């Protein structure tokens, strides 16, 4: 393992390693690869693509560096950036229900720690798993504030992170956590509603594109089929 780390740190800059580490954290607790594995695999595939293009393309000496550089940069976008964006949208959809149940649990008189335990144990979602991990760290001795700060590094959503920040500040300052949570819930619902309206507004454009690509050629084929048949069969 030490040899693997030293290889990665010899090839890549500290800035690159740190950036990849931060992105991998944003993939959450279900992420199946480490920074060393990802960077080593990207390097191996880049070398393989370079050699393959050099040997099998006519102008390989020109194509191979272009393909290698393209793969080198697009791989990070495909393996990290796209999944992070998808996860952020998924977490925001889950957040509304999670925080609604949390608010109801707090209204029943539980403190924040117990309310989070009950909510995360009874809701099956990725956001619940993140809270379960933080609660486990609290039981191991970390403070609530430290765990929430670490959790924010695993959440690719500014909206959820603002909610976590408000909950933490309310807990530290002794303000009403329930009131702060309800305000954030209103914001989450409003944001979700605007997103749905935006998706609905895009539907006519999507339908138009589908019509152009599929229905219009079919209609032209039906209209022109007699002429085509006459041309083929004389």
């Amino acid at each position: 393992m030490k040899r693997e780390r030293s290889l990665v740190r010899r090839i890549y800059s500290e800035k690159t390693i740190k950036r990849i580490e931060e992105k991998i954290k944003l993939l959450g607790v279900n992420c199946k690869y480490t920074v060393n594995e990802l960077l080593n695999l990207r390097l191996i595939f880049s070398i393989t693509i370079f050699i393959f293009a050099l040997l099998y393309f006519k102008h390989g000496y020109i194509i191979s560096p272009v393909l290698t550089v393209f793969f080198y940069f697009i791989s990070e976008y495909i393996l990290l950036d796209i999944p992070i964006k998808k996860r952020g949208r998924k977490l925001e959809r889950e957040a509304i229900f999670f925080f609604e149940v949390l608010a109801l649990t707090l209204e029943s008189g539980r403190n924040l720690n117990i309310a989070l335990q009950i909510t995360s144990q009874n809701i099956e979602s990725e956001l619940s798993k993140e809270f379960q991990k933080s609660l486990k760290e609290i039981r191991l001795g970390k403070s609530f504030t430290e765990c929430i700060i670490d959790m924010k590094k695993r959440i690719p959503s500014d909206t959820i992170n603002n909610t976590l920040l408000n909950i933490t500040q309310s807990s530290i300052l002794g303000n009403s956590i329930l009131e702060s949570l309800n305000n954030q819930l209103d914001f989450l619902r409003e944001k979700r509603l605007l997103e749905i309206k935006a998706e609905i507004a895009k539907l006519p454009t999507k339908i138009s594109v589908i019509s152009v690509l599929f229905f219009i050629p079919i209609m032209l084929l039906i209209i022109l089929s007699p002429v085509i048949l006459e041309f083929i069969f004389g």
Side-chain angles (χ1 to χ4, degrees), residues 20 33 61 78 81:
I20 299 297
Y33 42 79
Y61 60 92
I78 293 171
D81 294 341

Side-chain angles (χ1 to χ4, degrees), residues 2-90:
K2 289 182 179 178
R3 193 175 298 172
E4 184 185 27
R5 286 180 182 173
S6 62
L7 176 64
V8 167
R9 296 193 180 277
R10 279 201 298 267
I11 296 172
Y12 297 96
S13 66
E14 288 294 329
K15 186 178 179 181
T16 300
I17 295 171
K18 186 177 179 182
R19 186 184 74 248
I20 299 297
E21 282 178 342
E22 289 173 353
K23 287 186 177 183
I24 287 176
K25 283 181 182 178
L26 291 174
L27 291 174
V29 294
N30 294 326
C31 181
K32 296 179 180 179
Y33 42 79
T34 64
V35 62
N36 294 319
E37 293 170 347
L38 183 65
L39 290 176
N40 285 332
L41 280 174
R42 184 169 72 169
L43 180 63
I44 291 168
F45 276 106
S46 297
I47 294 171
T48 304
I49 289 169
F50 181 85
I51 295 171
F52 179 84
L54 188 64
L55 295 176
Y56 291 96
F57 284 100
K58 185 177 180 180
H59 300 288
Y61 60 92
I62 298 174
I63 297 171
S64 56
V66 174
L67 280 178
T68 304
V69 171
F70 176 76
F71 170 79
Y72 185 85
F73 289 104
I74 201 68
S75 59
E76 183 176 336
Y77 179 73
I78 293 171
L79 294 174
L80 294 175
D81 294 341
I82 293 177
I84 286 169
K85 288 179 182 178
K86 288 182 178 179
R87 185 169 184 264
R89 291 193 293 268
K90 180 183 178 183

Side-chain angles (χ1 to χ4, degrees), residues 220-233:
L220 287 173
L221 183 62
I222 293 171
I223 294 169
L224 297 174
S225 58
V227 178
I228 295 170
L229 289 172
E230 185 177 353
F231 177 79
I232 293 172
F233 298 104

Side-chain angles (χ1 to χ4, degrees), residues 14-229:
E14 288 294 329
K15 186 178 179 181
T16 300
I17 295 171
K18 186 177 179 182
R19 186 184 74 248
I20 299 297
E21 282 178 342
E22 289 173 353
K23 287 186 177 183
I24 287 176
K25 283 181 182 178
L26 291 174
L27 291 174
V29 294
N30 294 326
C31 181
K32 296 179 180 179
Y33 42 79
T34 64
V35 62
N36 294 319
E37 293 170 347
L38 183 65
L39 290 176
N40 285 332
L41 280 174
R42 184 169 72 169
L43 180 63
I44 291 168
F45 276 106
S46 297
I47 294 171
T48 304
I49 289 169
F50 181 85
I51 295 171
F52 179 84
L54 188 64
L55 295 176
Y56 291 96
F57 284 100
K58 185 177 180 180
H59 300 288
Y61 60 92
I62 298 174
I63 297 171
S64 56
V66 174
L67 280 178
T68 304
V69 171
F70 176 76
F71 170 79
Y72 185 85
F73 289 104
I74 201 68
S75 59
E76 183 176 336
Y77 179 73
I78 293 171
L79 294 174
L80 294 175
D81 294 341
I82 293 177
I84 286 169
K85 288 179 182 178
K86 288 182 178 179
R87 185 169 184 264
R89 291 193 293 268
K90 180 183 178 183
L91 288 171
E92 287 183 359
R93 289 194 299 270
E94 295 175 349
I96 296 175
F97 181 63
F98 183 91
F99 289 125
E100 282 176 345
V101 175
L102 179 61
L104 290 172
T105 310
L106 287 169
E107 284 178 359
S108 65
R110 271 90 169 184
N111 62 40
L112 180 59
N113 200 343
I114 294 174
L116 284 171
Q117 288 180 25
I118 293 171
T119 305
S120 61
Q121 288 171 2
N122 288 280
I123 295 177
E124 185 63 32
S125 68
E126 201 161 333
L127 187 59
S128 295
K129 291 177 182 177
E130 292 294 344
F131 274 105
Q132 287 171 11
K133 182 176 181 178
S134 296
L135 291 168
K136 185 177 180 181
E137 290 173 349
I138 290 172
R139 288 194 293 271
L140 292 173
K142 290 181 73 173
S143 69
F144 179 81
T145 304
E146 286 176 329
C147 290
I148 294 299
I149 290 171
D150 289 340
M151 182 178 171
K152 286 169 64 179
K153 295 176 182 177
R154 305 191 301 268
I155 303 293
S157 168
D158 292 335
T159 307
I160 296 176
N161 285 336
N162 286 335
T163 305
L164 295 175
L165 178 63
N166 287 331
I167 290 173
T168 307
Q169 287 181 339
S170 299
S171 177
I172 294 171
L173 299 174
N175 298 330
S176 174
I177 298 174
L178 190 58
E179 183 180 352
S180 175
L181 187 58
N182 285 328
N183 291 334
Q184 290 299 311
L185 271 170
D186 290 338
F187 178 77
L188 284 167
R189 293 190 194 102
E190 184 67 25
K191 184 180 179 182
R192 182 59 184 156
L193 182 61
L194 291 173
E195 288 174 353
I196 292 171
K197 287 181 178 179
E199 290 175 5
I200 293 171
K202 292 177 183 176
L203 282 177
T205 305
K206 292 179 179 178
I207 292 171
S208 300
V209 171
I210 292 171
S211 299
V212 170
L213 293 176
F214 295 100
F215 295 119
I216 292 178
I218 292 171
M219 292 299 294
L220 287 173
L221 183 62
I222 293 171
I223 294 169
L224 297 174
S225 58
V227 178
I228 295 170
L229 289 172

